[in-house]
Amino acid sequence: MPRILSGIKPTGRLHIGNYFGMMRPAIDWQEKGEALYFIADYHALTTVHDPAALRANTRGVALDFLACGLDPAKAILFKQSDVPQVCELTWLLSVLTPMGLLERCHAYKDAVAKGFAPSHGLFAYPVLMAADILIYDSDIVPVGRDQKQHVEVTRDLAIKMNETFGANLLRLPEPSILPDLATIPGLDGQKMSKSYGNTIELFLEEKALKKKIMGIVTDSTPVEAPKDPATSSIVALYRLFASPADVVQMETDFRAGGFGYGDFKKRLFAAIWEHFAPARARREEIERDPGFIDAVLRSGAERANALANVTLTRVRKAMGL
Ligand code: TYM
């Protein structure tokens, strides 16, 4: 049975890029192997320095993930920082990590370009991520395309460790990236990302969601004129939620003319609202049971700790500690 692992940073509310790129594939994987999913609070600390916000976001990620269908009877859900052994493995990997490898990582370059102070934590981020993956002997890592390079770094580090300290010391993981969902576009057509301010959060109030959708950037083609469905963010997003027949209908109406963008946005809103109706109901249920999330995370932490200790003990021994 393959072991599947992935993580998500509690830096804000989850959006539909997270949902299609990672959460839904992860939820599908929970049926096919031993799945471990964690809330990457150590990673979030590279940019979030407000303890109350970090705690609230962490809880929010657990709530949203459970509402979307993560089943704690099938998958292990835990907080990254409940397994501090990953920090020790990070150090053990660091001693073999070439500076050049990290210098090439785009996430660090992007963060600095966005104005974050270039800290050691931000620079060493991929090594912590490698430790996350390697400490659980993971086979498969479901992620969006933006994380592909980090899984490649993980493989490079595992190979180096195995060459230096013993073949088969660390298991080599494979990323799992669904081609159609690898990069979900945001309201402006760029990759959906908190840092671009173009996100659609999963559990917005009805009015707030409507407002976001109505705010999708469009050109000034008049209502009567034909429009190009191939270049429209509305159509790109609609494809994620609507039935194939409804998508064809929207594409036909785009080409025909006579429909304004406002009309298409209303159809998109309705499709998103309907898609998340069952998850919204589950979310309300979970919120009525305040002990549930704590219990899930506590039990997840226990199980993750047991698995992490096996690898860490093996690596310490192999390295002479
Ligand atoms: P994070 O929190 O930025 O994103 C969580 C997951 O959502 C995916 N994603 C997207 N996929 C498609 N289209 C988008 N617009 C989009 N936006 C986000 C991301 O690819 C990711 O899979 N470093 C990781 C967290 C992490 C991790 C790990 C992941 C830490 N350790 C170990 C896997 C294994 C991150 O920042 O994800």
Short mmCIF file of all heavy atoms in Angstrom, two decimals, residues 5-11 15-23 38 40 43 80 125 128-129 132-133 141-147 150-151 181-185 191-194, ligand 1:
data_model
loop_
_atom_site.label_atom_id
_atom_site.label_comp_id
_atom_site.label_asym_id
_atom_site.label_seq_id
_atom_site.Cartn_x
_atom_site.Cartn_y
_atom_site.Cartn_z
N LEU A 5 1.64 11.53 1.19
CA LEU A 5 1.82 12.62 2.14
C LEU A 5 1.70 13.97 1.44
O LEU A 5 2.19 14.14 0.33
CB LEU A 5 3.21 12.53 2.79
CG LEU A 5 3.51 13.77 3.63
CD1 LEU A 5 3.75 13.42 5.08
CD2 LEU A 5 4.65 14.58 3.07
N SER A 6 1.02 14.91 2.11
CA SER A 6 1.08 16.28 1.61
C SER A 6 0.79 17.26 2.75
O SER A 6 0.33 16.86 3.82
CB SER A 6 0.10 16.51 0.47
OG SER A 6 0.45 17.69 -0.23
N GLY A 7 1.12 18.53 2.49
CA GLY A 7 0.95 19.54 3.53
C GLY A 7 0.38 20.81 2.93
O GLY A 7 0.44 21.04 1.71
N ILE A 8 -0.15 21.64 3.81
CA ILE A 8 -0.74 22.90 3.37
C ILE A 8 -0.45 23.95 4.43
O ILE A 8 -0.53 23.67 5.62
CB ILE A 8 -2.25 22.68 3.12
CG1 ILE A 8 -2.90 23.81 2.38
CG2 ILE A 8 -3.00 22.41 4.39
CD1 ILE A 8 -4.19 23.36 1.70
N LYS A 9 -0.05 25.13 3.98
CA LYS A 9 0.39 26.17 4.94
C LYS A 9 -0.80 26.96 5.50
O LYS A 9 -1.64 27.41 4.73
CB LYS A 9 1.28 27.19 4.21
CG LYS A 9 2.73 26.97 4.42
CD LYS A 9 3.56 28.06 3.76
CE LYS A 9 3.10 28.41 2.38
NZ LYS A 9 3.95 29.28 1.61
N PRO A 10 -0.84 27.17 6.81
CA PRO A 10 -1.93 27.97 7.40
C PRO A 10 -1.61 29.46 7.35
O PRO A 10 -1.43 30.10 8.39
CB PRO A 10 -1.98 27.45 8.84
CG PRO A 10 -0.58 27.04 9.16
CD PRO A 10 0.05 26.59 7.85
N THR A 11 -1.55 30.00 6.14
CA THR A 11 -1.21 31.42 6.01
C THR A 11 -2.44 32.27 5.77
O THR A 11 -2.34 33.49 5.61
CB THR A 11 -0.22 31.63 4.84
OG1 THR A 11 -0.66 30.84 3.74
CG2 THR A 11 1.18 31.20 5.22
N HIS A 15 -8.31 28.39 -0.51
CA HIS A 15 -9.00 28.84 -1.71
C HIS A 15 -9.11 27.71 -2.72
O HIS A 15 -8.60 26.61 -2.48
CB HIS A 15 -8.26 30.06 -2.29
CG HIS A 15 -6.80 29.82 -2.57
ND1 HIS A 15 -6.34 29.04 -3.58
CD2 HIS A 15 -5.69 30.28 -1.91
CE1 HIS A 15 -5.02 29.03 -3.58
NE2 HIS A 15 -4.59 29.78 -2.57
N ILE A 16 -9.79 27.99 -3.84
CA ILE A 16 -10.08 26.88 -4.74
C ILE A 16 -8.84 26.39 -5.49
O ILE A 16 -8.84 25.30 -6.04
CB ILE A 16 -11.26 27.17 -5.70
CG1 ILE A 16 -10.94 28.30 -6.64
CG2 ILE A 16 -12.54 27.48 -4.93
CD1 ILE A 16 -12.01 28.47 -7.70
N GLY A 17 -7.75 27.16 -5.49
CA GLY A 17 -6.48 26.65 -6.01
C GLY A 17 -5.97 25.53 -5.11
O GLY A 17 -5.57 24.46 -5.58
N ASN A 18 -6.01 25.76 -3.80
CA ASN A 18 -5.62 24.72 -2.85
C ASN A 18 -6.53 23.50 -3.00
O ASN A 18 -6.08 22.35 -2.95
CB ASN A 18 -5.77 25.19 -1.39
CG ASN A 18 -4.91 26.38 -1.04
OD1 ASN A 18 -5.39 27.35 -0.46
ND2 ASN A 18 -3.63 26.34 -1.40
N TYR A 19 -7.81 23.80 -3.20
CA TYR A 19 -8.81 22.72 -3.23
C TYR A 19 -8.57 21.78 -4.41
O TYR A 19 -8.45 20.57 -4.24
CB TYR A 19 -10.21 23.35 -3.30
CG TYR A 19 -11.32 22.34 -3.44
CD1 TYR A 19 -11.72 21.56 -2.35
CD2 TYR A 19 -11.99 22.18 -4.65
CE1 TYR A 19 -12.74 20.64 -2.48
CE2 TYR A 19 -13.01 21.25 -4.78
CZ TYR A 19 -13.39 20.49 -3.70
OH TYR A 19 -14.39 19.57 -3.83
N PHE A 20 -8.47 22.34 -5.63
CA PHE A 20 -8.33 21.46 -6.80
C PHE A 20 -6.91 20.94 -6.95
O PHE A 20 -6.69 19.83 -7.42
CB PHE A 20 -8.77 22.18 -8.08
CG PHE A 20 -10.27 22.33 -8.18
CD1 PHE A 20 -10.87 23.55 -7.97
CD2 PHE A 20 -11.06 21.23 -8.47
CE1 PHE A 20 -12.25 23.68 -8.05
CE2 PHE A 20 -12.44 21.34 -8.55
CZ PHE A 20 -13.04 22.58 -8.34
N GLY A 21 -5.92 21.78 -6.58
CA GLY A 21 -4.52 21.38 -6.76
C GLY A 21 -4.09 20.32 -5.76
O GLY A 21 -3.30 19.43 -6.09
N MET A 22 -4.60 20.40 -4.53
CA MET A 22 -4.11 19.48 -3.52
C MET A 22 -5.19 18.80 -2.68
O MET A 22 -5.15 17.60 -2.49
CB MET A 22 -3.14 20.26 -2.61
CG MET A 22 -2.54 19.46 -1.49
SD MET A 22 -3.61 19.47 -0.02
CE MET A 22 -2.48 18.93 1.22
N MET A 23 -6.20 19.56 -2.19
CA MET A 23 -7.11 18.95 -1.21
C MET A 23 -7.96 17.83 -1.82
O MET A 23 -8.06 16.75 -1.26
CB MET A 23 -8.02 20.02 -0.60
CG MET A 23 -7.23 21.05 0.18
SD MET A 23 -8.21 22.53 0.51
CE MET A 23 -9.40 21.93 1.69
N PHE A 38 -0.78 17.14 6.62
CA PHE A 38 -0.48 17.98 7.78
C PHE A 38 -0.62 19.46 7.46
O PHE A 38 -0.59 19.88 6.30
CB PHE A 38 0.92 17.67 8.32
CG PHE A 38 2.02 18.02 7.37
CD1 PHE A 38 2.63 19.26 7.43
CD2 PHE A 38 2.44 17.11 6.42
CE1 PHE A 38 3.63 19.60 6.55
CE2 PHE A 38 3.44 17.45 5.53
CZ PHE A 38 4.04 18.70 5.60
N ALA A 40 1.09 22.86 7.72
CA ALA A 40 2.51 23.21 7.77
C ALA A 40 2.73 24.51 8.55
O ALA A 40 3.07 25.54 7.98
CB ALA A 40 3.08 23.29 6.36
N HIS A 43 6.30 25.93 8.46
CA HIS A 43 6.54 26.66 7.20
C HIS A 43 5.85 28.02 7.21
O HIS A 43 6.41 29.01 6.73
CB HIS A 43 6.05 25.84 6.00
CG HIS A 43 7.04 24.82 5.52
ND1 HIS A 43 6.86 23.47 5.65
CD2 HIS A 43 8.24 24.98 4.92
CE1 HIS A 43 7.91 22.84 5.14
NE2 HIS A 43 8.76 23.74 4.69
N GLN A 80 2.10 19.99 11.69
CA GLN A 80 3.54 19.75 11.46
C GLN A 80 4.34 19.88 12.76
O GLN A 80 5.19 19.08 13.07
CB GLN A 80 4.03 20.78 10.44
CG GLN A 80 5.46 20.63 9.98
CD GLN A 80 5.85 21.76 9.02
OE1 GLN A 80 5.32 22.87 9.13
NE2 GLN A 80 6.74 21.47 8.10
N TYR A 125 13.66 26.65 3.60
CA TYR A 125 12.30 26.13 3.48
C TYR A 125 12.24 24.77 2.76
O TYR A 125 11.61 23.83 3.25
CB TYR A 125 11.49 27.21 2.73
CG TYR A 125 10.02 26.99 2.54
CD1 TYR A 125 9.10 27.81 3.20
CD2 TYR A 125 9.53 26.03 1.67
CE1 TYR A 125 7.74 27.64 3.00
CE2 TYR A 125 8.18 25.87 1.47
CZ TYR A 125 7.29 26.67 2.14
OH TYR A 125 5.95 26.51 1.94
N LEU A 128 13.31 21.78 5.01
CA LEU A 128 12.26 21.37 5.95
C LEU A 128 11.19 20.58 5.20
O LEU A 128 10.69 19.57 5.69
CB LEU A 128 11.65 22.61 6.63
CG LEU A 128 10.46 22.39 7.56
CD1 LEU A 128 10.77 21.40 8.68
CD2 LEU A 128 9.97 23.72 8.16
N MET A 129 10.87 21.03 4.00
CA MET A 129 9.86 20.31 3.22
C MET A 129 10.35 18.91 2.85
O MET A 129 9.59 17.94 2.90
CB MET A 129 9.50 21.13 1.97
CG MET A 129 8.40 20.51 1.18
SD MET A 129 7.52 21.72 0.17
CE MET A 129 6.83 20.60 -1.06
N ASP A 132 9.89 16.80 5.85
CA ASP A 132 8.47 16.43 5.99
C ASP A 132 8.17 15.17 5.19
O ASP A 132 7.46 14.27 5.65
CB ASP A 132 7.56 17.50 5.37
CG ASP A 132 7.49 18.78 6.17
OD1 ASP A 132 7.59 18.72 7.41
OD2 ASP A 132 7.32 19.85 5.54
N ILE A 133 8.67 15.16 3.97
CA ILE A 133 8.33 14.07 3.05
C ILE A 133 9.10 12.80 3.42
O ILE A 133 8.55 11.71 3.49
CB ILE A 133 8.63 14.50 1.59
CG1 ILE A 133 7.74 15.69 1.21
CG2 ILE A 133 8.46 13.33 0.63
CD1 ILE A 133 8.09 16.36 -0.12
N VAL A 141 3.41 12.24 -3.36
CA VAL A 141 3.16 13.56 -2.79
C VAL A 141 2.22 14.33 -3.72
O VAL A 141 2.65 14.90 -4.73
CB VAL A 141 4.49 14.34 -2.61
CG1 VAL A 141 4.25 15.67 -1.90
CG2 VAL A 141 5.51 13.51 -1.84
N PRO A 142 0.90 14.34 -3.43
CA PRO A 142 -0.03 15.09 -4.28
C PRO A 142 0.10 16.59 -4.04
O PRO A 142 -0.09 17.06 -2.91
CB PRO A 142 -1.42 14.59 -3.85
CG PRO A 142 -1.24 13.80 -2.60
CD PRO A 142 0.22 13.62 -2.35
N VAL A 143 0.43 17.35 -5.09
CA VAL A 143 0.64 18.80 -4.96
C VAL A 143 0.25 19.50 -6.26
O VAL A 143 0.05 18.86 -7.29
CB VAL A 143 2.14 19.14 -4.69
CG1 VAL A 143 2.54 18.88 -3.25
CG2 VAL A 143 3.06 18.40 -5.65
N GLY A 144 0.15 20.83 -6.20
CA GLY A 144 0.01 21.63 -7.40
C GLY A 144 1.39 21.83 -8.04
O GLY A 144 2.42 21.52 -7.43
N ARG A 145 1.41 22.37 -9.28
CA ARG A 145 2.67 22.46 -10.02
C ARG A 145 3.71 23.31 -9.30
O ARG A 145 4.91 23.04 -9.38
CB ARG A 145 2.43 22.99 -11.43
CG ARG A 145 3.71 23.07 -12.25
CD ARG A 145 3.44 23.20 -13.73
NE ARG A 145 2.81 22.02 -14.26
CZ ARG A 145 1.83 22.04 -15.16
NH1 ARG A 145 1.37 23.18 -15.61
NH2 ARG A 145 1.30 20.91 -15.60
N ASP A 146 3.27 24.32 -8.54
CA ASP A 146 4.24 25.22 -7.88
C ASP A 146 5.12 24.49 -6.86
O ASP A 146 6.14 25.03 -6.45
CB ASP A 146 3.52 26.41 -7.23
CG ASP A 146 2.49 26.01 -6.18
OD1 ASP A 146 2.21 24.80 -6.05
OD2 ASP A 146 1.98 26.89 -5.48
N GLN A 147 4.73 23.27 -6.47
CA GLN A 147 5.53 22.54 -5.48
C GLN A 147 6.42 21.47 -6.11
O GLN A 147 7.15 20.77 -5.41
CB GLN A 147 4.61 21.88 -4.44
CG GLN A 147 3.79 22.87 -3.63
CD GLN A 147 4.66 23.84 -2.85
OE1 GLN A 147 5.68 23.45 -2.27
NE2 GLN A 147 4.30 25.11 -2.86
N HIS A 150 10.12 21.57 -5.36
CA HIS A 150 10.46 21.16 -3.99
C HIS A 150 10.51 19.63 -3.84
O HIS A 150 11.32 19.11 -3.08
CB HIS A 150 9.44 21.75 -3.00
CG HIS A 150 9.56 23.24 -2.84
ND1 HIS A 150 8.50 24.04 -2.51
CD2 HIS A 150 10.63 24.06 -2.94
CE1 HIS A 150 8.90 25.29 -2.43
NE2 HIS A 150 10.20 25.33 -2.69
N VAL A 151 9.66 18.94 -4.57
CA VAL A 151 9.71 17.47 -4.49
C VAL A 151 10.98 16.97 -5.20
O VAL A 151 11.61 15.99 -4.77
CB VAL A 151 8.42 16.83 -5.06
CG1 VAL A 151 8.46 15.31 -4.91
CG2 VAL A 151 7.17 17.39 -4.36
N LEU A 181 -5.33 20.24 -13.42
CA LEU A 181 -5.57 20.99 -12.18
C LEU A 181 -4.26 21.51 -11.58
O LEU A 181 -4.22 21.96 -10.44
CB LEU A 181 -6.28 20.09 -11.17
CG LEU A 181 -7.59 19.47 -11.65
CD1 LEU A 181 -8.11 18.44 -10.67
CD2 LEU A 181 -8.64 20.56 -11.88
N ALA A 182 -3.18 21.43 -12.38
CA ALA A 182 -1.86 21.74 -11.84
C ALA A 182 -1.74 23.21 -11.43
O ALA A 182 -1.08 23.54 -10.45
CB ALA A 182 -0.80 21.41 -12.88
N THR A 183 -2.37 24.11 -12.20
CA THR A 183 -2.33 25.54 -11.87
C THR A 183 -3.73 26.12 -12.07
O THR A 183 -4.16 26.36 -13.21
CB THR A 183 -1.33 26.28 -12.77
OG1 THR A 183 -0.06 25.61 -12.66
CG2 THR A 183 -1.15 27.72 -12.32
N ILE A 184 -4.44 26.33 -10.99
CA ILE A 184 -5.79 26.89 -11.07
C ILE A 184 -5.66 28.41 -11.19
O ILE A 184 -4.95 29.04 -10.40
CB ILE A 184 -6.59 26.52 -9.79
CG1 ILE A 184 -6.61 24.99 -9.57
CG2 ILE A 184 -7.99 27.11 -9.82
CD1 ILE A 184 -7.29 24.20 -10.65
N PRO A 185 -6.35 29.00 -12.19
CA PRO A 185 -6.24 30.45 -12.35
C PRO A 185 -7.09 31.20 -11.32
O PRO A 185 -8.09 30.69 -10.85
CB PRO A 185 -6.80 30.69 -13.76
CG PRO A 185 -7.75 29.56 -13.99
CD PRO A 185 -7.23 28.40 -13.21
N LYS A 191 -2.04 32.60 -11.86
CA LYS A 191 -2.20 31.52 -10.88
C LYS A 191 -2.92 32.04 -9.63
O LYS A 191 -2.58 33.13 -9.14
CB LYS A 191 -0.81 31.00 -10.48
CG LYS A 191 -0.86 29.86 -9.48
CD LYS A 191 0.51 29.53 -8.90
CE LYS A 191 0.59 29.94 -7.46
NZ LYS A 191 1.73 29.43 -6.71
N MET A 192 -3.91 31.30 -9.14
CA MET A 192 -4.59 31.73 -7.92
C MET A 192 -3.63 31.61 -6.75
O MET A 192 -3.05 30.56 -6.51
CB MET A 192 -5.84 30.88 -7.66
CG MET A 192 -6.63 31.38 -6.46
SD MET A 192 -8.20 30.55 -6.17
CE MET A 192 -9.17 31.11 -7.55
N SER A 193 -3.45 32.71 -6.03
CA SER A 193 -2.48 32.72 -4.95
C SER A 193 -2.80 33.84 -3.97
O SER A 193 -3.16 34.94 -4.40
CB SER A 193 -1.08 32.92 -5.54
OG SER A 193 -0.17 33.28 -4.52
N LYS A 194 -2.67 33.52 -2.67
CA LYS A 194 -2.92 34.54 -1.66
C LYS A 194 -2.09 35.79 -1.92
O LYS A 194 -2.55 36.91 -1.76
CB LYS A 194 -2.58 33.99 -0.26
CG LYS A 194 -3.72 33.19 0.34
CD LYS A 194 -3.27 32.33 1.50
CE LYS A 194 -2.82 30.96 1.03
NZ LYS A 194 -2.74 29.92 2.04
P1 TYM B 1 0.68 25.86 -0.02
O1 TYM B 1 0.10 25.98 1.34
O2 TYM B 1 1.15 27.08 -0.73
O3 TYM B 1 -0.40 25.20 -0.97
C1 TYM B 1 -1.05 23.98 -0.64
C2 TYM B 1 -1.29 23.16 -1.90
O4 TYM B 1 -2.15 23.87 -2.80
C3 TYM B 1 -1.57 23.89 -4.09
N1 TYM B 1 -1.96 25.12 -4.79
C4 TYM B 1 -2.39 25.16 -6.06
N2 TYM B 1 -2.59 24.18 -6.96
C5 TYM B 1 -3.06 24.54 -8.17
N3 TYM B 1 -3.35 25.81 -8.51
C6 TYM B 1 -3.17 26.85 -7.64
N4 TYM B 1 -3.47 28.09 -7.98
C7 TYM B 1 -2.66 26.52 -6.35
N5 TYM B 1 -2.35 27.27 -5.24
C8 TYM B 1 -1.92 26.38 -4.30
C9 TYM B 1 -0.06 23.85 -3.85
O5 TYM B 1 0.62 23.39 -4.98
C10 TYM B 1 0.02 22.91 -2.68
O6 TYM B 1 0.05 21.56 -3.10
N6 TYM B 1 5.32 24.11 0.69
C11 TYM B 1 3.91 23.71 0.64
C12 TYM B 1 3.44 23.06 1.93
C13 TYM B 1 4.26 21.90 2.34
C14 TYM B 1 4.29 20.60 1.75
C15 TYM B 1 5.23 19.85 2.48
C16 TYM B 1 3.62 20.04 0.66
C17 TYM B 1 5.15 21.88 3.36
N7 TYM B 1 5.74 20.64 3.47
C18 TYM B 1 5.51 18.51 2.17
C19 TYM B 1 3.89 18.70 0.34
C20 TYM B 1 4.83 17.96 1.08
C21 TYM B 1 3.07 24.95 0.38
O7 TYM B 1 3.50 26.05 0.64
O8 TYM B 1 1.80 24.73 -0.04
#
